[in-house]
Amino acid sequence: MEQLEELVLFMARNLVDDPDSVKVESRQRGRIVTVTLTVPSEDMGKVIGRQGRIARSMRTLLTIASSREGYRASLDING
C-alpha cells in the first residue's frame, strides 16, 4: 500500500508548482484501498487536466499498480 501512495505522490509532485505542499493518505478495508490526494487549490487545474484527462490517467495507473499487488484502488483528489 505504501508503494501506491508513493506512485500518486510522484505523479502529483511533478504536476504542481510547490511539490512540498502535496499530501497523500490512504485507507484500506480488506482488499480495497482509497488513496486521497490533497493539492493546493490553485494547482487543481494542473492535476485534473483538460476534461479530467490527467486525473483519469492517474487513476488508470493507480488501478494497474494496485491490481498487480492484489488490491482494488480508487483515487480521490482534494484541493
Side-chain angles (χ1 to χ4, degrees):
M1 196 164 72
E2 186 177 316
Q3 293 174 343
L4 300 177
E5 287 182 14
E6 290 176 11
L7 174 64
V8 172
L9 190 63
F10 174 78
M11 290 186 289
R13 280 189 171 172
N14 284 294
L15 293 171
V16 298
D17 291 332
D18 183 16
D20 296 329
S21 64
V22 175
K23 293 181 180 67
V24 176
E25 298 174 358
S26 63
R27 283 172 280 157
Q28 181 177 0
R29 280 193 181 161
R31 290 306 214 178
I32 299 173
V33 178
T34 303
V35 180
T36 304
L37 170 64
T38 305
V39 297
S41 57
E42 60 268 8
D43 288 329
M44 281 293 287
K46 294 176 184 175
V47 174
I48 293 174
R50 259 181 219 215
Q51 298 178 354
R53 287 185 183 145
I54 293 174
R56 193 175 323 118
S57 297
M58 290 174 71
R59 287 184 174 107
T60 301
L61 288 172
L62 182 64
T63 300
I64 292 167
S66 66
S67 68
R68 288 184 176 179
E69 300 293 322
Y71 295 104
R72 291 196 60 183
S74 64
L75 177 64
D76 295 332
I77 302 172
N78 298 326

